């Protein structure tokens, strides 16, 4: 249950990053304000689920997994929305992040 909360926390962090990319592209002030409110809600929900997960997981492990999910998700947002290209080195380091998150869960 707590690991699911940690996954949800990571997904809401990614949603906040996605909303940040929308905010940058907007020109109308009311749309920017609405996006900022949604970003704050998304990051707030993310931190709430993270704090719930830290009731069972050590802070260092929970935070590392949460930031790993956020890093991979932000990279996905950049690739999908901004058309960013990844080099072979970046794929290698992405694999290391994924491997490290899995290893932290198993330990």
């Amino acid at each position: 249950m707590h690991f699911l909360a940690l996954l949800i926390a990571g997904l809401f962090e990614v949603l906040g990053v996605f909303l940040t990319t929308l905010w940058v592209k907007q020109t109308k002030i009311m749309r920017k304000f609405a996006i900022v409110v949604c970003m704050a809600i998304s990051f707030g929900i993310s931190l709430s689920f993270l704090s719930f997960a830290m009731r069972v997981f050590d802070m260092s492990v929970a935070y590392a997994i949460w930031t790993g999910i956020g890093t991979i998700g932000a990279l996905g947002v950049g690739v999908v929305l901004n058309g960013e290209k990844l080099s072979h080195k970046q794929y290698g380091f992405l694999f290391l992040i994924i491997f490290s998150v899995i290893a932290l869960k198993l330990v």
Side-chain angles (χ1 to χ4, degrees):
M1 181 67 161
H2 287 81
F3 188 71
L4 180 63
L6 193 54
L7 289 174
I8 292 170
L11 292 176
F12 272 101
E13 182 185 9
V14 173
L15 177 63
V17 170
F18 169 73
L19 291 170
T20 303
T21 61
L22 288 181
W23 181 82
V24 170
K25 295 177 182 179
Q26 288 297 319
T27 57
K28 297 193 187 293
I29 195 72
M30 287 307 290
R31 286 188 184 162
K32 280 189 174 236
F33 179 74
I35 292 172
V36 167
V37 169
C38 291
M39 281 172 29
I41 291 170
S42 176
F43 286 130
I45 291 171
S46 176
L47 290 174
S48 297
F49 276 101
L50 176 63
S51 67
F52 176 75
M54 284 196 292
R55 293 179 185 171
V56 171
F57 295 110
D58 293 335
M59 183 202 59
S60 58
V61 173
Y63 183 74
I65 292 172
W66 179 68
T67 56
I69 294 168
T71 302
I72 293 165
L75 186 115
V77 167
V79 168
V80 172
L81 294 181
N82 299 333
E84 297 174 5
K85 303 291 182 198
L86 297 179
S87 69
H88 294 293
K89 288 181 184 179
Q90 289 172 318
Y91 278 116
F93 287 119
L94 181 62
F95 170 77
L96 287 175
I97 292 171
I98 295 169
F99 176 77
S100 298
V101 167
I102 292 170
L104 280 172
K105 175 61 178 133
L106 295 176
V107 172

